Amino acid sequence: MNFLRGVMGGQAAGPQPSGAETIHKLCDRVASSTLLEDRRDAVRALKSLSKKYRLEVGTQAMDHLVNILQTDRSDSEILGYALDTLYNILCNDEEEEQDETAQKQSDDLGAQFTEQFVQDPEHVTLLLALLEEFDFHVRWPGVKLLTALLKNQGVQVQGIILVSPMGVSRLMDLLADSREVIRNDGLLLLQQLTKSNAAIQKIVAFESAFERLLDIITEEGSSDGGIVVEDCLLLLLNLLKNNSSNQNFFKEGSYIQRMKPWFEIGDDNSGWSAQKVTNLHLMLQLVRVMVSPVNSPGATSSCQKSMYQCGLLQQLCTILMATGVPADILTETINTVSEVIRGSQVNQDYFASVNAPSNPPRPAIVVLLMSMVNERQPFVLRCAVLYCFQCFLYKNQKGQGEIVATLLPSTIDANSISAGQLLCGGLFSADSLSNWCAAVALAHSLQDNLTQKEQLLRVQLATSLGKPPVSLLQQCTNILSQGSKVQTRVGLLMLLCTWINNCPIAVTHFLHNQENVPFLTAQISENLGEDERLVQGLCALLLGICIYYNDNSLENYTKEKLKQLIEKRIGKENFVEKLGFITKHELYSRAAQKPQPVFPAPEQMLFDHEFTKLVKELEGVITKAVHKSNEEEKKEEEVKKTLEQHDNIVTQYKELIREQDSQIQELKEQVESMSSQNEQMQTTVSQQLAQIQQHKDQYNILKLKIGKESQSNGQVDVSQVNGLQTEELTQLREEVEELRKQHALFQTQLGDKDALISALRSETADSSAGGSDHTELLKELEALRNQVQAQSAEINQMQTERQELLRRAEAGSSDEVSGSGGSLEAGATAEVESRLAAQTAETEILKEAAKGLSESRAELEQQLAAATSTVAILQTEKAKLQTEVQESKKEQDDLLMLLADQDQKIHSLRLRLKNLGEPVDDEDDLDCRDQTDEEDYEEDDEKEEDKDEN
């Protein structure tokens, strides 16, 4: 402890140790001490020496400090000392002034120690883990240390944090810290973290960064807030600039609407603090980032639409026309409005309708143009107004026509100042910058607009009293030939090139002046200094346009004669070389980079962005046109005519295809409409079916309820329970009536089928009975035949016996003796004769009976033959009838199923009507009747099945 007292300021006897020795001893104490208090005191001493002896502490103590962070996690005080010491070693705060004036040296201590620290990624991961500590003495130094690491080795530390689990999320939690110091330093940390790293920018954005930052800005007072608002805006710029994904997320999250309150300024604009100017400047830059021309056209258009709909554009125009606004804020507001309206017809139309709060009111465009042609206005402000005018006319043919119309004689109002008058005044003023700006503004009024190029040829200017007016085109060439400043001539040449480009009528007007072509050839052919080379190149471009877009309407200046003139006076190679001076100029590439005119000085304001694109387009074609021969041109003209014919044919086909496409589109719309109607009808039917099923279920439930409650509670108003209306009752009655009619029809059809089945059954029974009668007749006839044969045999035997007795009587009459023998024979003969007489009578009877039986037999045989044929016919009819019976049985089954369904529906509807209080027939009688009919049908079916089986 005595040693520490000496280090911390106590005076000890004897010579004082050097700083390196003291630091070495402190490092040994940190490494070897077992008591936490000793290590804490040693680290505190290292912290106090770290600023004065930065190199020694960083060289000897860094590893020991990292070890403290790893091992002494439980003591927040020693962790805070260690983090502060590391921050003093790595931070370059003391060298910031030097770093701003000179490049950072390779041996910078902060960079060296940072590189040493981040060699092990676990060190950065350890810092991220320490940020989860809520203790102020740990969290705040940890945030500052990580910020210093990102400043010195941003890319390497970003990579470590990106791959660390939940690394970015831990840093985002700093914005929710209730302690403003940590939250504000967390903003600085996130600024360094999100620099030039799209992946981290996306993660931060999707961690609700926009919501939190906008909340902080609102809490801090928006544009009237302090440095915290500035930090939030800088972080927002990091997240949105050149990051289309975050820009789309910002727009889709409706965060553009939350920017509108930032630009609500009061009537008293006298007090603008420096911080407010800075904040508002950053807010305007944030708006410009969302609608920058370098963004994709679709994203820019969508943001422009949102800004108009939420009123942000209107608020910006209010600032634009307000008084007391600082010049730099006004300049940035003009630039912002320019990009918000650029290429958006709706926004451009709104901007054209904005009036300045003057008496009388003037259009905002006129007020801005007055500033542009006023040489006393700041240069950056004049550039901003020119950019605003260019953006207003970009892809805005309506606006171009309105500007050109203010120059035409029929629309000039002598009592008011118009945009055309201001542009003409600036074009011919003594200020070269005004000449250039007015010329470029007029060129944008003609850009890609053939109609306005032809209209501008009508403009006449009065030069002086007593002299006839001259055309605007002629006045431009007159000023050009007077040898004015380079900036003025460059502006006029750019205007003339844009004017006559792709406009043969304007080329003819230009060539009609006999002095123009000699002036151009003289300018191109002369050997002038470096400053005049750009003018020579532009003159060559203007003459080349006159050749390329020449319609040969002037005999003296046809394409061929102009090329001969170039070859004789200038030389083709020299002409092409002079034409190349334009693209080789050092300011050409700078102007070609972006649409906004940004120049470090007024004298360097020579090229316009749109004109550089025109030069790039025309340089090659003019070079080819100059080198082509007359024959090649004729061939090209023939090819052009052929192509024009083909184009006409293609155009006709295109029109036909468009018509067919429109018809197809109409048919598709009709089909879609019908499909949607069909879907709606299907949906309606499904809903109705579901509703019917629901009503059925309700009726079933109510049936059970009513059955239980009717005895005690009386009749229930079912219509109120079910919520039925009068229309639904009427519909149900109609359905019941229709079902009754269907039921009666089915009953009639069923009765017809039953009668047919009964007739078929009786006919089958008769045919079966007829067959049995014929069989019995045959048997009876056979018995009679046997009886007749037996009687015939008996008669024949009795006749034989009679003849035998007669023969014996005749033979014994002479031989017999008297006495008792004779009497006996006489008696026997009498007996025999009596028996024979009886037999004879019986035989006669039997013969008559046999005769009758024979006649009956004949009749029976005839009847049998007839019956046999009838049986055959009946058998055939029986087979047919059985087939019909089977079919009738199937139909009967189907009818029974239908009747069962109908009975079920009638039964349910009857219950419904009964519950609704309608008069209904007795259901029990109908049920009994239906049940009896069903039993009869079942018995008949069983009999039929038995017969079929037999």
Side-chain angles (χ1 to χ4, degrees), residues 664-719:
I664 292 171
Q665 187 64 29
E666 291 177 358
L667 292 174
K668 285 182 178 180
E669 291 177 356
Q670 292 178 3
V671 170
E672 291 177 356
S673 176
M674 295 176 69
S675 299
S676 61
Q677 291 178 1
N678 186 22
E679 291 177 357
Q680 292 177 358
M681 293 176 67
Q682 292 290 342
T683 304
T684 305
V685 170
S686 301
Q687 291 176 354
Q688 291 178 353
L689 291 175
Q691 188 176 7
I692 291 170
Q693 184 63 36
Q694 184 179 3
H695 286 314
K696 288 181 180 180
D697 296 338
Q698 289 177 355
Y699 278 119
N700 292 331
I701 294 171
L702 288 172
K703 179 181 177 181
L704 298 175
K705 289 183 178 179
I706 292 170
K708 294 178 180 179
E709 297 177 359
S710 60
Q711 296 178 358
S712 58
N713 299 330
Q715 187 176 0
V716 181
D717 190 357
V718 183
S719 62

Side-chain angles (χ1 to χ4, degrees), residues 229 265 330 515 638 860:
V229 174
I265 59 175
L330 181 60
E515 299 177 357
E638 293 177 358
L860 289 173

Side-chain angles (χ1 to χ4, degrees), residues 182-248:
I182 296 178
R183 184 198 67 182
N184 298 342
D185 283 346
L187 289 172
L188 300 176
L189 171 60
L190 291 172
Q191 285 181 23
Q192 299 296 326
L193 179 66
T194 54
K195 280 185 178 179
S196 304
N197 193 311
I200 293 180
Q201 290 170 1
K202 292 178 182 179
I203 296 173
V204 171
F206 283 95
E207 288 283 346
S208 303
F210 295 140
E211 185 75 26
R212 297 183 185 182
L213 292 174
L214 293 174
D215 289 342
I216 294 173
I217 292 173
T218 304
E219 293 171 1
E220 295 292 329
S222 298
S223 60
D224 293 325
I227 190 67
V228 177
V229 174
E230 179 183 351
D231 293 337
C232 290
L233 293 171
L234 289 173
L235 180 54
L236 284 172
L237 284 173
N238 283 353
L239 296 175
L240 293 173
K241 195 171 184 178
N242 300 324
N243 194 318
S244 58
S245 176
N246 284 1
Q247 291 174 5
N248 185 61

Side-chain angles (χ1 to χ4, degrees), residues 98 520 577 580 842:
Q98 183 180 357
L520 293 178
E577 182 183 359
E842 189 177 358

Side-chain angles (χ1 to χ4, degrees), residues 377-392:
Q377 293 292 338
F379 172 65
V380 290
L381 178 63
R382 300 174 72 181
C383 291
V385 173
L386 176 62
Y387 183 46
C388 184
F389 191 75
Q390 292 174 350
C391 292
F392 169 69

Side-chain angles (χ1 to χ4, degrees), residues 428 463 474-485 488-489 492 519 523:
F428 306 123
T463 55
Q474 182 63 42
Q475 184 66 16
C476 290
T477 55
N478 291 340
I479 297 175
L480 192 63
S481 61
Q482 292 174 3
S484 54
K485 294 181 180 180
T488 301
R489 284 182 289 164
L492 290 173
F519 170 74
Q523 287 288 320

Side-chain angles (χ1 to χ4, degrees), residues 285-305:
Q285 286 185 3
L286 196 60
V287 176
R288 293 186 64 184
V289 165
M290 298 298 297
V291 292
S292 175
V294 300
N295 298 342
S296 64
T300 300
S301 176
S302 179
C303 291
Q304 289 172 337
K305 182 179 179 181

